[in-house]
Amino acid sequence: MENYRIEHDSMGEVKVPADKLWGAQTERSHENFLIGVGIETMPREITKAFGYLKKAAALANHELKPEKMTAEKKDNIAKACDEVISGALNENFPLVVWQTGSGTQSNMNTNEVIANRANQIAGKKLCHPNDDVNMSQSSNDTFPTALHIAATVEIEDKLFPAIDLLVGTFKKLEAANKGIVKSGRTHLQDAVPISFSQEISGWRSSLERDKEMLSSSLPYLKQLALGGTAVGTGLNAPKGFDTLVAKKVSELTGKDFVTAPNKFHALSSKDEVVFAHGALKALAADLMKIANDVRWLASGPRDGLGEIHIPENEPGSSIMPGKVNPTQCEAMTMVAVQVMGNDVAVGVAASQGNFELNVFMPVIAYNFLQSVRLLAEVMVSFNNNCAVGITANKEKMHFNLYNSLMLVTALNPYIGYENAAKTSHLAYEKDISLKDACVQLGFLTAEKFDEVFHPEQMAGENA
């Protein structure tokens, strides 16, 4: 039989598992919201951010009202917060995303766990979840603060390194494939020549621009709602708490957080998160394009474009022996689709602020942080299991290049657009070379054609 202890809150007594650190309010939520249990729990990035937040609040409260937040309380709360930050207490955060829209229950889960752990460390009943751990705070300003902390930390520490990793690989591929000219393609049709390194540079530049756009969103995410308390007025928070606690969060995380200039906005609007997730969606769109390019170029091995080789990581079919599929590309495109769907959820949720609060914050946090996590992890996977092993099929590129009718564009300056079009049509209809068609039509002599027709030069000086 499972052992319980009795906890109480303003509504009465509650049985709580004896081996858990949470209290009555957490247990009520745990029992009342049996939605996505074990699968869609509050993101651990939020739990960690709450650890930073609660430690920062204890440090700030000790400076501003030491008679309430004594050095003993501050030190034991800080130690408990360090364990929350490290993930050592993760099993004590069981609540699902599908709870109150303000995240109150997750805030109280954090308060109860930290208070109970602080009391264990102190060896006595020292800290109260509401009076001490939640001092000068409200769920209404702590949850949006935790969201901003988590979003900033995950973007800077997880997503940016993943972007840099793939950008670095593309730079190496550009250098390795310098001078290899292939057929360009627009509208999925043959186009004028391009070098393979130029094509790769487009992929690389897209990721660099995505990082720039994400970076431009960070100053807004680094504005914290903490200090606004229940409705933005700062009720029950000491003067200067908002500025000081933002400074403490910055010191703990190594990020330059500041207090939000208008707390009424910070509690009720999620526009900063919408803006940042728009940049995540832009990254997803570019990854979709890159993955599609790679799998189209690698299609075959005999009946597709076959212009590049990609690593063969696992069998691709349960019925066709020897088949190998572009699985890393497929994983990346599926992540892109998920992120685009998440963007809809984040946008709709952010539009639902009423008066002094938005009550869709857990679902915003869940989708936003999932997007960051998936994008970072899929880029690392794609890089390590596909991009680093991309090689050019030079022979196929050369064949496709010289088989392209769009090379006729090089003749425009010499025979004009309309005559060049006639040359292309004749070559296609009779399945002959552009040179033979041009000579048959009397537009150029064979010698003049050879003099002006140089496909490799059509890609430009930087090929």
Side-chain angles (χ1 to χ4, degrees), residues 192-193 405-425 434 438 443-444 448-449 452-454 458:
V192 294
L405 295 176
M406 289 306 100
L407 296 181
V408 76
T409 307
L411 303 179
N412 283 0
Y414 305 97
I415 64 176
Y417 180 94
E418 291 191 10
N419 286 340
K422 291 176 183 177
T423 300
S424 175
H425 284 301
L434 289 172
C438 189
F443 296 143
L444 290 175
K448 185 62 175 178
F449 184 95
V452 302
F453 189 73
H454 301 287
M458 294 173 67

Side-chain angles (χ1 to χ4, degrees), residues 143-201:
F143 198 94
T145 296
L147 171 56
H148 278 215
I149 293 172
T152 299
V153 169
E154 292 304 300
I155 288 172
E156 289 193 342
D157 294 354
K158 189 170 185 177
L159 186 59
F160 282 175
I163 293 175
D164 292 341
L165 178 68
L166 190 50
V167 165
T169 294
F170 285 152
K171 285 182 177 179
K172 292 176 183 177
L173 287 173
E174 284 178 63
N177 290 281
K178 196 81 172 173
I180 299 175
V181 179
K182 59 187 290 292
S183 178
R185 294 179 178 87
T186 58
H187 305 271
L188 293 181
Q189 305 296 305
D190 302 341
V192 294
I194 185 174
S195 74
F196 189 33
S197 61
Q198 289 171 333
E199 193 164 47
I200 297 168
S201 77

